[in-house]
Amino acid sequence: MTGYSDVLDSKVPDGPIADKWTNHKFNMKLVNPSNKRKFEVIVVGTGLAGASAAATMGELGYKVKAFTFHDSPRRAHSIAAQGGINAAKNYQNDGDSVHRLFYDTVKGGDYRSREANVHRLAEVSVNIIDQAAAQGVPFAREYGGLLANRSFGGAQVSRTFYARGQTGQQLLLGAYSALMRQVNLGGVDLYNRQEMLELVVKDGQACGIVCRDVITGEISSHSAHAVVLATGGYGNVYYLSTNAMMCNTTATWRAHRKGAMFANPCYTQIHPTCIPSSDPFQSKLTLMSESLRNDGRIWVPDSFDESRAASDIPESDRDYYLERKYPAFGNLVPRDVASRNAKTVVDAGKGVGPLKNGVYLDFAEAIARDGEDTVRAKYGNLFDMYERITGENPYKQPMRIYPATHYTMGGLWVDYHLMTTVPGCYAIGEANFSDHGANRLGASALMQGLADGYFVLPYTIGDYLSTSLGHDPVGNDDPVFKDAIADVTDRTNRWLSINGTKSVDHYHRELGKLVWDYIGMERNKNGLEKAISEITSLEEEFHKNVRVLGSADTLNQSLEKAGRVSDFFELAKLKARDALVREESAGGHFREEHQTEEGEAKRDDENFAHVTAWDWNDEATPQTEHREQLTFENVALTQRSYK
Amino acid sequence: MHLTLKVWRQEPGQNGMFQTYEAPGISEDMSFLEMLDVVNERLIEEGTAPIVFESDCREGICGTCDLMIDGQAHGPEKATATCQLHMRKYNDGDHITIEPWRAASFPVIRDLAVDRSALDAIQEAGGYISAPTGSASDANLTPVPKDAADSAMDAAACIGCGACVAACPNSAAQLFTSAKVMHLNLLPQGQAERWKRTEAMVETMEEYFGSCTNHGECHEACPKEISLDFIALMNKDYVKSKIKNRKLSGQK
C-alpha cells in the first residue's frame, strides 16, 4: 500500500489560491446554449444541494431528471437545519472577508480539508445570500430592512444569516421553488417516490441509475450523460442520530461499490447539545441549537451518587467542567471538545437524569441576570420544544443534554470538479467529503450544499459533458441496464425470502450500539478491531435471520429499510477500518492513543495530513486504501487551543 | 401504560377497515410514533404486516407525518405535529383511534399513508419568484421592512403537511395555499409576479380541493399555527388579480 497518491488526481488548478476558481472557470470547456438541451443529467436527492443543482442546470438548458424517494422534494432533511448559513459578506463591518471565512473553515476542520475547495466555498458564499434573498427567502432583517447576522461557534465575526430557527427550511423552500419553476417550464422532470438502488456504469463511465418506485415496487432504469448524487450523509449508521428516519447511505454506497472511492468515513460530527434518549425504543434524537450555549452553563454534580434535584444541589457541589478546564472559551468551546467532555463526565458516573445519561445545561443564571422574558425572547421556541419532548420545564429546572451524531464530514471522494472516481458521477453536499475536513463549523453545511448546487457543479459539469457532444446516452435497452435491473430485483426479493425472526429495526439498533460504542466520540485500537469482528458477525446474522414481511410490489417500509441497513453494515466496517489506520486525533476523530497530556486531540501532520480514500474490490476482498496528500500553502498548521 | 388502538388498515385498491390492537407496556416518555414503532415490531414478530405510516424528521419540520388521531389532525396537542406528540398526554387504559388524512384529494396509498401530491401541483403553478441562479444583485440592495420580512416568515413557516385540508369539513386547501402565496406576495422581491402567481395558484387549488367556508378548523389543526389572516389577504389579492391580469391582457 505505497505510492498512495498515484491514483487520486484532485485536479486543483495552479495559481494563487484567490485566483484558482476565477481562472479555472475561464479555462473550463463550455457547452453552447443550443447544445445544452442535448445533454441529459440525472440528479438524485432534492435537498439543498440536489434541488439547487437540478434547478440551476434546468435554467441553463440541460435536460434534467431529478429523483427523490420522498413524496415531495421539500421533505429532504436539509429542512431541519436550524441555526443559519455563513457568508463572507462583511455587512457587519467587523473585519470579515473571503480569506477569513476560508481560514476559519480550514482551521475549524482541523487542517484536514482541501484548501482550494474551501477557498472556492468562501468565495461563492456571498452569491448564495444574494440568490436566496432574490428567491424570497425571508431572512431575519434589521429595522432598516437590511439583513441581520448572528455569530456562531468557531468564528470571531458575525457572518451567519438566519431565518428564525428555521434557516434550513427556508433555504430549502427557496431551492424547491426554483426547482418547481423548472418543473413547470419543462426544464426538469421530477420523479417522486423513487429510491435509487444502483448506479449504472458502462465502459468505466456513469450512464444512469436503477430506482425502485416505493409505492408500486416497480424497478426501472434511467439513463443520462452524467449522474449527480446529492443524497446526504451516513449519520444513521449510529441508528440514533439527529438525522431524519429515512436518511441513508445507499446511493453513495452503491456508487462506492461501482468504483467511486469513499473518503474519510471515520469523520463524524457529534453535536454536543441534543436531548438524551429516554428509553430503549427511542427512534431518533433531537438537536437543541448550539446557540443555547451562549447563555446556558453546563455542569454535573460533584458526587457520583447524587440524588437531589438540580435546584437543591448547592454551587459548592457542582462541577462546571467546561468553565473549569477551558477558562477562555468556557461553555463555547467547539462542538467536538464539548461533546467529548460530556462523555468523559457521564462515563465517570456523574451523568444526570433518570438514566444518568446527560449533563445539565442551566439557564438559572441567565434568567436571574436578564429576566425570564429576555431568555424567552431568545430561546422560547427551543424551550417549548424541550418541554414537549421531555415534559420538563427548562425555565424551572436545567435542561439535560447529551451529544448525538449530527453530520458526517466523510463521503464520496471528489476532485475539484466534484466528480467522483467514476467519470460522469458527481457527489455534492453532505454526500461528498470535500470541504469540512475532520470537523464542520456551525452554519457551514447549508453554505456548502448550496455552493455546490448553485455555483460549482453547474459550471464544472459542462467541462465533462462537452467531451461527449454528439453521443447519445447509453440506451435503456443496453445490457448494463438489464443486468442492473436484474441485480436490484434479486437483492430486493432476497430480503423477503429470508423469513427469519427479528425485525430490520432490531438489527439497525444493535448495529448502532456497536458503532456508537466503538467508533463514537472516542476510539482505540482494541475497540476498533472488536468493532470489525462484532459488526461482521452481526451482519451475518442479519442476512440469515432478518424478517421482512409482505411483498415487493407495493409500499413496504420494512423492505426499504432492509436494503438501507444492509449498506450501513458494510459502511460501518469501512468506518472502523478508516478509524484504525488514522493513527492520530483530528476534529471528529479522537483516538485515545493520540492525545496531549491535557487530554486534547493530538494531530500528526507529518504522517496524516492526507485524505484516506477507499477503493472497492469485491465482497470477499476488503477495500484498498489510497491517499490524497493535503498541502497547506495559505494556512499555517497550528494546534487548536481553546483554553 | 396499556392502550387499545383502533387503526385504519387498507390494502391498495381495496376497501379499508379498522383493526384493533392492544398496546401494553408503553412508556410515557415515548413519542406517539415511537409507540407505533413498538406496536409494529410486535406485529412483525407475530408475523403480521406492520402498520404503514409516514414520518421522517420527527422534529416537526419536514411535514411528512400525517395522522388523524381521535378525529383530530395531528392529535390533541395544539401547535404540534404528530411526531412531536408524546404519550404522557395519554392515560393508562385509553382507547385511541388512528386514521389517515381524510380528503378526496389525498387518496389513501396504504393504511395510514396518503398521496399529497396535489399540494405540489399548487406550488408548481406559481409558488416561486423567477430568479435564475446568478441573476441576483447584492442582497442588501433591496431592503425589506422588518415587518414585511416577519410576516412573510410567519407564512413561510408552513410545513406542507396537509393537516389544514384534513381538518376542513370541505377539504379546502386555502390555508396551505395562502401561506405559500402570501410568503412571496408580502416581499418586495415577489411583486413582479404577484397577480399572475395568485391567480394561477388559487385556480390550481380549486381544481383539486373544496371551497373555504370560514370554519377555521385549518388554523386549529395547523402545527405551525398559520394565521387565517393569510386567507383573507390571498382572497383580496385574488380579486385584484382578476382586474390586474385582465389589464395586462388588454395591452396585448
Side-chain angles (χ1 to χ4, degrees):
Chain A
M1 293 203 292
T2 53
Y4 292 107
S5 53
D6 294 354
V7 263
L8 293 171
D9 178 5
S10 67
K11 301 209 173 85
V12 170
D14 294 332
I17 190 129
D19 300 335
K20 282 181 196 286
W21 179 232
T22 307
N23 292 342
H24 192 62
K25 276 193 288 187
F26 181 75
N27 291 329
M28 277 188 293
K29 291 188 278 286
L30 294 174
V31 178
N32 104 32
S34 62
N35 280 336
K36 285 202 174 89
R37 69 175 74 100
K38 296 175 185 159
F39 290 110
E40 297 180 30
V41 181
I42 283 172
V43 180
V44 187
T46 56
L48 285 179
S52 58
T56 304
M57 289 191 290
E59 288 159 5
L60 286 170
Y62 293 116
K63 279 173 76 175
V64 180
K65 299 182 214 176
F67 292 80
T68 171
F69 67 169
H70 291 283
D71 67 324
S72 164
R74 64 164 180 255
R75 308 270 188 231
H77 193 53
S78 306
I79 205 151
Q82 298 171 355
I85 176 166
N86 288 328
K89 279 287 197 186
N90 195 31
Y91 282 158
Q92 304 305 319
N93 195 30
D94 57 0
D96 199 10
S97 63
V98 165
H99 193 78
R100 189 176 294 282
L101 176 54
F102 156 72
Y103 178 90
D104 287 348
T105 307
V106 173
K107 180 188 174 197
D110 221 354
Y111 310 98
R112 290 294 174 265
S113 48
R114 195 188 283 149
E115 270 194 345
N117 285 51
V118 179
H119 199 278
R120 175 176 66 189
L121 174 69
E123 286 172 54
V124 303
S125 68
V126 296
N127 306 114
I128 297 170
I129 302 305
D130 299 339
Q131 181 61 32
Q135 287 168 345
V137 170
F139 284 122
R141 300 270 168 175
E142 304 293 351
Y143 281 100
L146 302 182
L147 288 155
N149 288 113
R150 58 166 60 142
S151 55
F152 239 74
Q156 289 167 302
V157 294
S158 236
R159 62 159 78 98
T160 305
F161 295 78
Y162 62 101
R164 294 200 187 138
Q166 293 125 277
T167 318
Q169 180 199 23
Q170 294 310 315
L171 290 169
L172 182 60
L173 291 179
Y176 160 70
S177 67
L179 174 66
M180 293 312 278
R181 175 172 169 264
Q182 282 306 309
V183 171
N184 190 30
L185 293 171
V188 177
D189 285 332
L190 181 60
Y191 295 81
N192 289 335
R193 303 262 200 193
Q194 294 285 333
E195 179 167 19
M196 170 185 157
L197 294 178
E198 197 59 276
L199 177 73
V200 185
V201 178
K202 178 161 177 161
D203 301 332
Q205 289 185 305
C207 63
I209 59 172
V210 171
C211 292
R212 178 173 178 274
D213 183 314
V214 296
I215 303 298
T216 65
E218 191 198 344
I219 292 169
S220 60
S221 62
H222 305 268
S223 68
H225 291 93
V227 175
V228 180
L229 302 180
T231 52
Y234 49 87
N236 270 349
V237 69
Y238 289 88
Y239 184 69
L240 284 181
S241 80
T242 66
N243 285 4
M245 302 298 287
M246 300 204 289
C247 292
N248 69 79
T249 189
T250 289
T252 47
W253 195 257
R254 290 288 135 192
H256 172 54
R257 290 175 59 114
K258 286 295 175 79
M261 288 194 209
F262 210 102
N264 298 336
C266 76
Y267 292 154
T268 311
Q269 181 161 80
I270 314 283
H271 197 290
T273 50
C274 302
I275 302 176
S277 60
S278 61
D279 62 62
F281 286 99
Q282 184 98 22
S283 59
K284 71 155 285 173
L285 296 169
T286 302
L287 177 80
M288 303 299 289
S289 170
E290 181 165 343
S291 61
L292 290 169
R293 286 197 282 146
N294 280 307
D295 283 302
R297 296 181 70 196
I298 294 173
W299 63 277
V300 289
D302 261 334
S303 114
F304 293 99
D305 300 312
E306 187 57 70
S307 54
R308 290 173 289 184
S311 52
D312 296 335
I313 303 174
E315 286 291 321
S316 56
D317 292 348
R318 300 177 177 192
D319 180 10
Y320 295 89
Y321 57 90
L322 288 179
E323 297 172 25
R324 171 171 57 79
K325 285 171 76 177
Y326 309 96
F329 276 69
N331 294 300
L332 285 173
V333 291
R335 291 175 173 179
D336 51 340
V337 179
S339 294
R340 217 168 46 245
N341 277 281
K343 177 177 161 57
T344 307
V345 294
V346 169
D347 284 353
K350 293 184 178 180
V352 301
L355 302 177
K356 292 177 97 41
N357 61 350
V359 299
Y360 286 130
L361 176 62
D362 196 341
F363 291 86
E365 191 182 288
I367 290 171
R369 183 185 63 225
D370 304 329
E372 193 171 311
D373 288 345
T374 309
V375 171
R376 178 167 289 131
K378 275 191 191 167
Y379 308 115
N381 59 339
L382 294 168
F383 278 41
D384 291 347
M385 181 159 88
Y386 180 84
E387 187 169 1
R388 214 173 284 144
I389 292 170
T390 62
E392 296 172 2
N393 178 351
Y395 295 101
K396 303 281 178 237
Q397 62 189 103
M399 285 184 180
R400 290 175 292 113
I401 56 161
Y402 197 65
T405 304
H406 178 56
Y407 186 89
T408 54
M409 283 75 69
L412 292 179
W413 186 90
V414 289
D415 62 16
Y416 190 69
H417 291 200
L418 305 181
M419 185 148 78
T420 68
T421 49
V422 176
C425 177
Y426 292 77
I428 58 176
E430 192 180 350
N432 75 27
F433 87 104
S434 75
D435 294 356
H436 306 296
N439 176 53
R440 180 178 64 74
L441 290 181
S444 284
L446 302 182
M447 171 172 68
Q448 186 226 334
L450 290 178
D452 289 358
Y454 283 134
F455 296 109
V456 180
L457 179 85
Y459 286 90
T460 59
I461 203 166
D463 192 64
Y464 172 78
L465 292 173
S466 63
T467 59
S468 47
L469 187 63
H471 298 281
D472 286 335
V474 177
N476 241 325
D477 50 355
D478 192 279
V480 285
F481 282 108
K482 290 187 172 158
D483 292 349
I485 287 184
D487 279 353
V488 170
T489 310
D490 283 353
R491 213 186 310 140
T492 309
N493 290 335
R494 203 174 61 219
W495 299 118
L496 295 165
S497 65
I498 295 173
N499 231 334
T501 61
K502 296 262 171 44
S503 69
V504 180
D505 282 343
H506 165 83
Y507 286 104
H508 193 185
R509 238 182 343 255
E510 294 300 310
L511 170 67
K513 275 184 215 156
L514 292 176
V515 179
W516 179 249
D517 286 346
Y518 296 125
I519 332 172
M521 278 183 275
E522 293 185 352
R523 298 104 190 246
N524 63 52
K525 187 167 184 287
N526 279 342
L528 291 167
E529 284 168 351
K530 231 165 141 178
I532 295 173
S533 79
E534 290 185 22
I535 291 167
T536 307
S537 41
L538 187 66
E539 185 185 20
E540 283 167 15
E541 193 197 314
F542 169 71
H543 283 278
K544 282 187 202 134
N545 194 40
V546 72
R547 172 179 283 187
V548 181
L549 300 168
S551 61
D553 58 358
T554 180
L555 176 56
N556 186 337
Q557 293 167 323
S558 305
L559 184 62
E560 292 167 30
K561 276 190 267 186
R564 296 172 198 159
V565 171
S566 171
D567 291 335
F568 275 136
F569 268 108
E570 293 183 4
L571 176 115
K573 288 186 288 184
L574 185 65
K575 186 175 169 65
R577 287 182 61 213
D578 188 52
L580 201 54
V581 300
R582 187 161 285 278
E583 290 273 2
E584 65 158 355
S585 294
H589 169 67
F590 188 85
R591 280 287 297 267
E592 284 167 14
E593 300 94 327
H594 304 286
Q595 50 183 311
T596 63
E597 279 174 23
E598 296 96 14
E600 302 301 335
K602 199 167 140 195
R603 284 197 328 268
D604 177 355
D605 293 331
E606 201 169 313
N607 296 304
F608 289 96
H610 62 250
V611 177
T612 314
W614 298 89
D615 196 10
W616 178 263
N617 289 306
D618 55 53
E619 304 276 353
T621 323
Q623 289 93 332
T624 306
E625 180 188 355
H626 296 280
R627 292 178 180 180
E628 177 198 342
Q629 192 60 39
L630 296 169
T631 48
F632 295 90
E633 291 164 352
N634 300 278
V635 176
L637 277 68
T638 57
Q639 186 74 36
R640 290 194 310 165
S641 171
Y642 296 95
K643 294 219 180 251
Chain B
M1 53 180 118
H2 185 123
L3 304 163
T4 306
L5 309 178
K6 213 170 115 189
V7 182
W8 186 259
R9 304 292 313 251
Q10 184 170 359
E11 298 273 324
Q14 298 177 24
N15 289 333
M17 62 165 94
F18 282 107
Q19 295 272 0
T20 303
Y21 301 99
E22 295 301 319
I26 298 299
S27 147
E28 64 168 25
D29 287 326
M30 283 179 189
S31 73
F32 194 87
L33 297 182
E34 283 163 2
M35 181 272 291
L36 286 179
D37 290 340
V38 170
V39 171
N40 270 345
E41 287 225 27
R42 292 175 186 162
L43 288 177
I44 293 171
E45 288 196 4
E46 287 170 14
T48 308
I51 302 159
V52 174
F53 63 92
E54 294 199 274
S55 77
D56 198 28
C57 78
R58 298 205 176 182
E59 291 182 20
I61 192 76
C62 75
T64 306
C65 64
D66 52 351
L67 298 181
M68 205 71 175
I69 304 168
D70 288 332
Q72 283 182 290
H74 289 309
E77 195 168 356
K78 206 166 159 42
T80 303
T82 302
C83 65
Q84 295 278 282
L85 176 64
H86 279 70
M87 295 315 293
R88 64 180 71 86
K89 285 276 156 190
Y90 292 90
N91 298 310
D92 188 37
D94 278 355
H95 288 242
I96 306 174
T97 304
I98 308 171
E99 296 164 84
W101 275 176
R102 291 180 300 195
S105 37
F106 293 159
V108 171
I109 296 168
R110 189 185 192 101
D111 296 346
L112 303 171
V114 299
D115 178 359
R116 285 168 284 183
S117 48
L119 297 180
D120 278 324
I122 298 174
Q123 188 87 25
E124 189 191 326
Y128 46 77
I129 290 169
S130 298
T133 305
S135 62
S137 53
D138 187 275
N140 262 352
L141 271 181
T142 311
V144 179
K146 189 172 185 307
D147 294 341
D150 285 350
S151 300
M153 181 64 219
D154 288 342
C158 166
I159 59 175
C161 62
C164 44
V165 176
C168 176
N170 308 333
S171 300
Q174 251 77 3
L175 195 65
F176 168 84
T177 311
S178 69
K180 299 300 173 192
V181 168
M182 294 317 297
H183 158 208
L184 302 175
N185 283 10
L186 285 163
L187 292 169
Q189 289 89 346
Q191 296 312 305
E193 294 162 299
R194 180 173 183 171
W195 313 113
K196 190 171 154 237
R197 168 187 310 122
T198 310
E199 197 173 20
M201 290 177 78
V202 169
E203 289 172 8
T204 306
M205 169 188 80
E206 286 176 343
E207 283 175 32
Y208 293 92
F209 295 95
S211 301
C212 175
T213 47
N214 297 322
H215 279 266
E217 288 291 330
C218 50
H219 171 72
E220 289 301 311
C222 177
K224 297 296 156 189
E225 300 187 290
I226 304 291
S227 167
L228 290 175
D229 292 353
F230 292 120
I231 298 182
L233 290 167
M234 176 180 76
N235 288 343
K236 198 174 118 210
D237 273 10
Y238 180 64
V239 171
K240 271 196 182 173
S241 77
K242 285 295 168 193
I243 299 158
K244 301 263 182 184
N245 279 349
R246 194 168 298 156
K247 198 166 145 197
L248 290 179
S249 347
Q251 289 171 349
K252 273 183 195 162

